[in-house]
Amino acid sequence: LTGAARAIKEGETKSGDNFSVIEREEGRLTVLLCDGMGSGEEARNEAMGTSALLKELIESGLEAHDAMQTINGLYILRDGGGFSAIDLLQVSLVSAEGFLHKWGAAPSFLKFGRTLQTLGSPLPPPGLGVGRSYGPACIRVSLQRGEALILTSDGVDTAMAERYLQSCGELPVRELAAGVVGSSEDAMPDDRTAAV
């Protein structure tokens, strides 16, 4: 159902990206990919803290948009520090439909065979503003035909990932994630994560 792959930035021992999956009793799957600003242990701690807090807020019953707005408020209130870009997917395991919430995150891809759609546009990460016009993007997604949704961190080069995804056929989810991460091996050095 889900699979992920990652590569740590050369010279670092820890990835600044964090991937987690939450399954809920009512048949909903929540997938989180948080990309801490920069790389190394500080970015890792930021991504893990954001992911853990989002998971806690969602498990307590808060809707995704409200949980992400809470993270934004906490970022604004603290004195200095980094940020984490957020991809938060919630999809029904019954209907295979749901929503992808993106805030400051790299583009995602919806793949069906060799057809590819890029989802999301660059937004500043949470913690830099408030108000109606500042918040996460919410994209309706359907995986009813067996589409693969690929979330990526900003170390994955968008153009290289697109070329790979259009040329590869259907693959198991972990193999697909590994191929996306590997496609950006020669790009700018950064942590690279793909979650399918």
Side-chain angles (χ1 to χ4, degrees):
L1 192 57
T2 62
R6 80 170 77 194
I8 299 171
K9 179 181 177 182
E10 192 174 325
E12 297 289 351
T13 58
K14 307 221 186 283
S15 173
D17 302 337
N18 185 268
F19 166 71
S20 59
V21 176
I22 308 166
E23 290 191 52
R24 307 254 323 251
E25 308 92 48
E26 59 265 17
R28 184 169 68 179
L29 179 74
T30 300
V31 177
L32 286 169
L33 177 59
C34 295
D35 181 357
M37 185 173 72
S39 59
E41 192 158 353
E42 198 171 312
R44 174 185 175 260
N45 292 341
E46 190 63 49
M48 286 181 68
T50 299
S51 184
L53 183 53
L54 278 169
K55 182 177 178 180
E56 192 174 313
L57 291 169
I58 289 165
E59 287 177 337
S60 72
L62 211 56
E63 291 299 320
H65 184 271
D66 296 332
M68 292 173 82
Q69 287 290 4
T70 300
I71 295 290
N72 183 56
L74 292 172
Y75 276 166
I76 289 170
L77 290 174
R78 72 179 183 187
D79 187 26
F83 303 98
S84 181
I86 303 167
D87 271 312
L88 193 161
L89 170 69
Q90 290 186 314
V91 66
S92 165
L93 295 174
V94 177
S95 69
E97 294 189 337
F99 294 93
L100 174 61
H101 304 270
K102 298 179 73 61
W103 202 344
S108 299
F109 305 97
L110 190 61
K111 176 179 172 53
F112 183 65
R114 295 194 188 276
T115 304
L116 190 68
Q117 181 181 0
T118 304
L119 305 175
S121 57
L123 295 171
L128 300 179
V130 293
R132 281 191 121 154
S133 62
Y134 188 78
C138 181
I139 304 162
R140 185 172 189 76
V141 294
S142 174
L143 309 175
Q144 288 184 337
R145 299 180 303 162
E147 293 92 340
L149 179 63
I150 302 100
L151 311 178
T152 62
S153 66
D154 66 1
V156 172
D157 181 273
T158 303
M160 292 175 173
E162 283 176 346
R163 280 194 297 277
Y164 169 76
L165 289 167
Q166 286 175 328
S167 66
C168 75
E170 287 193 37
L171 298 169
V173 290
R174 285 195 177 120
E175 195 176 324
L176 186 59
V180 170
V181 167
S183 72
S184 297
E185 207 165 22
D186 299 327
M188 179 181 79
D190 194 1
D191 299 317
R192 299 185 315 276
T193 301
V196 180

